[in-house]
Amino acid sequence: MAFSTISFLFAFLPAALILYRIVPERARAVILILISLVFYAWGDVRHLPVLLFSMVFNYVAGLELGLLKQKGAKRRAKYAMMLAVAVNLFLLGYYKYTGFFAGSLARMFGRAPSSSVMPLPIGISFFTFSAISYILDIYLERARYSRDFVQVAAYICMFPKLISGPIVQYKDMKGRFTAPKMTMSNFLAGTQKFVVGLFKKVLLADALGAAFAGISALDGMAAATAWLGMIFYSLQLFFDFAGYSDMAIGLAQILGFPIDKNFDYPYISDGIADFWRRWHISLGRWFRDYVYIPLGGNRCSTGRQILNLLVVWLLTGLWHGAAWTFVFWGIWHGGLLILERFALKNLRELIPKAVRIAVTVLLVFIGWVFFFSPSMGSALLWIRQMFGGAGLGIWNGATGYFLRTNLITLIAAVICCGPNLGRTVTNLSYQKGRFGVIISVAVYIVLFLCCISYIVGSSYNSFLYFQF
Amino acid sequence: MTDPRFWKFIKWLLIIVLAVFLISGRLSNRISITDFSTMAKAVTEATDLTPMQEADNQMLKRLYGLDSSLYDGVLLYYPTTNMGAEELLLVKMADTSQAAEVQAAMENRLATQKKSFDGYGAEQTAMLEKSILKVRGNYALFISAEDPVKVRQAFDRNY
């Protein structure tokens, strides 16, 4: 079930919140598990056993691991951790990568790849990484294992973050499920974040998505149209995922679980490293804490650091999808980071900040071409068309049409990429006293109503990150 | 239960349950990655489309109660005259949870057609009796024609 649907907003969410509110605090985690399972099963009940397995298996594996650690059986604990992580990765790989690797092997041996694959359980990449975080936090002694199944299960399956993150680490959530408190301030702040997220998704991302779909359907593109398509998709992806994250964080806060932000204005980054401190922050932290640092991180030779970075970025690419385009996209970012950190280290400070931001945005946007293209061939074709490869010139009628019909959305999206609008609203709320608060609340209510009327009047648009 | 060996035993038991679940799922739950256009070409080439005409979304709604915008692909051919029973519907679902709804729509349409010809259209009734309705993973096919088996074979080959 997606957050931006009428059934979620007016049926599931109110019912879930009322139920969660009326039960005693100690029973809330159990209710949270039950409503999360209903939320997950709503879309496709056939994948529910995969989620249930992840909850039960990791609880059991965590218990075994924790008890071995308690007894000081280091070697057995290491094997238990490795097996638990391997089972989690196998489950993820089975659904997500079997078709990709089997297809690649078949092509390598000149055979036609199978035309049927296993359907991907929604959110598997996210809840599997949460589960691995539980196991590794116990092994690395960042958190103690839990004897209480409810604590582990609620952490893995809590519905705000279940399908598309943020990938919250267990060490940051441990103990929070014992008696979660719902407070008025959390409710109001959470609702505010949720409405902002809904606005980003429904009014910006979906409109940008429609524009991008229109451009993608063209047989050939003038150079400017191809650039425009790339910009539309880059903005759509940001508002789609950041919107979902805002909604997830808002919902978690309403339920009594404050979660760190997942996006921090990534399109004003002045370098690739800066970009990854601002884009999908929870995933970056996960790879840093569970892959990069255990591999040696920065505390090793330059050669080893480069290798570590390449491993992390290859895995980051593969995490996003089972296709060579995602592998390339991961290596593209890894390569740029390596270049920035080692080759351009001193040059960076000589370049004005505005230029650094422009270059970063350009490189990130070009990376998204590989992200949205179904194959390497079509990605390269798109890039070729950005430089006039289609033979339709720099600008044609289609360019003017797509720019004209989406100009307001485009301007609104560009403004919303920066922090100024958000700051203005916050200042209005806090500095103008009671009048400012009334205006600010009115703005959020109007925004919510606009989103609802748009949802009612259009067909459902899924979230881009659901596919990962 | 403070003995890790107990939990190790339970863990292995769960791994066996997982293996059985995955193997059984692998045999039944696969979805096709064949393009809708490829599948549509294959099934339309396997039958004679002369007594049929292509439908738009409005006709799809009228005859089946389905909205084509909710699916990855829909192709409907319906009879050119009221006396025809030839029909072809191919649907590629956005996800397999839509299967029950699509199957019910196809069954309803078949029942309605049978009722329409009951008692006076012996040929049409015979054609509808041998019609094929098949839901497989993310694809659904309904074919009522002279030789529906050929269409089903084309469907299976390209799935």
Side-chain angles (χ1 to χ4, degrees), chain A residues 292-303:
Chain A
Y292 186 65
I293 293 175
L295 282 173
N298 295 339
R299 294 179 179 178
C300 48
S301 66
T302 305

Side-chain angles (χ1 to χ4, degrees), chain A residues 43-44 46 49 53 56-57 60 63-64 67-68 71 83 87 90-91 94-95 98 114-119 147, chain B residues 1-5 7-8 10-12 14-15 18 21-22 25-26 29-34 96-97 158-159:
Chain A
D44 191 350
R46 278 172 289 187
F53 172 83
V56 177
F57 175 80
V60 171
L63 264 173
E64 185 206 1
L67 290 169
L68 287 171
K71 286 177 187 268
L83 180 63
V87 169
F90 171 77
L91 196 60
Y94 176 82
Y95 281 105
T98 310
S114 167
S115 62
S116 60
V117 294
M118 292 298 296
R147 285 178 185 276
Chain B
M1 294 295 169
T2 54
D3 187 349
R5 281 177 302 181
W7 296 108
K8 187 178 181 179
I10 301 289
K11 186 175 79 178
W12 279 104
L14 286 166
I15 292 173
L18 175 71
F21 173 77
L22 293 182
R26 185 153 194 92
N29 285 339
R30 295 175 74 82
I31 57 166
S32 174
I33 51 170
T34 304
T96 49
S97 63
N158 286 276
Y159 186 81

Side-chain angles (χ1 to χ4, degrees), chain A residues 241-410:
Chain A
F241 193 23
Y244 185 93
S245 292
D246 286 347
M247 285 189 264
I249 291 166
L251 286 173
Q253 191 164 3
I254 291 171
L255 298 171
F257 308 100
I259 295 175
D260 288 344
K261 61 186 166 192
N262 208 21
F263 287 85
D264 186 19
Y265 306 108
Y267 290 158
I268 56 164
S269 309
D270 68 344
I272 299 297
D274 189 31
F275 175 78
W276 281 102
R277 280 191 290 271
R278 293 164 176 269
W279 178 277
H280 203 173
I281 297 167
S282 61
L283 181 72
R285 276 189 198 152
W286 195 98
F287 274 109
R288 182 196 65 195
D289 291 353
Y290 301 121
V291 182
Y292 186 65
I293 293 175
L295 282 173
N298 295 339
R299 294 179 179 178
C300 48
S301 66
T302 305
R304 183 62 203 243
Q305 275 186 59
I306 290 173
L307 183 69
N308 292 347
L309 282 169
L310 282 174
V311 169
V312 165
W313 287 99
L314 181 69
L315 293 175
T316 304
L318 267 177
W319 180 88
H320 280 86
W324 290 111
T325 47
F326 291 111
V327 173
F328 179 84
W329 172 81
I331 292 171
W332 167 259
H333 275 272
L336 290 172
L337 264 173
I338 290 165
L339 210 64
E340 185 179 284
R341 187 184 288 185
F342 300 104
L344 306 172
K345 200 175 170 184
N346 301 323
L347 191 70
R348 224 181 92 83
E349 296 309 316
L350 302 174
I351 304 168
K353 191 174 179 185
V355 177
R356 291 205 306 265
I357 292 173
V359 172
T360 304
V361 167
L362 177 70
L363 293 171
V364 167
F365 279 24
I366 288 174
W368 294 138
V369 174
F370 292 89
F371 210 76
F372 68 66
S373 298
S375 66
M376 285 299 287
S378 56
L380 295 173
L381 179 68
W382 191 290
I383 290 172
R384 208 158 62 87
Q385 293 188 94
M386 283 164 61
F387 296 95
L392 295 171
I394 293 173
W395 187 284
N396 65 8
T399 319
Y401 169 78
F402 282 107
L403 189 60
R404 225 175 22 253
T405 50
N406 297 287
L407 192 61
I408 294 171
T409 310
L410 195 59

Side-chain angles (χ1 to χ4, degrees), chain A residues 104-125:
Chain A
S104 297
L105 277 176
R107 275 186 214 98
M108 205 184 287
F109 292 107
R111 290 185 175 185
S114 167
S115 62
S116 60
V117 294
M118 292 298 296
L120 188 67
I122 194 163
I124 190 168
S125 304

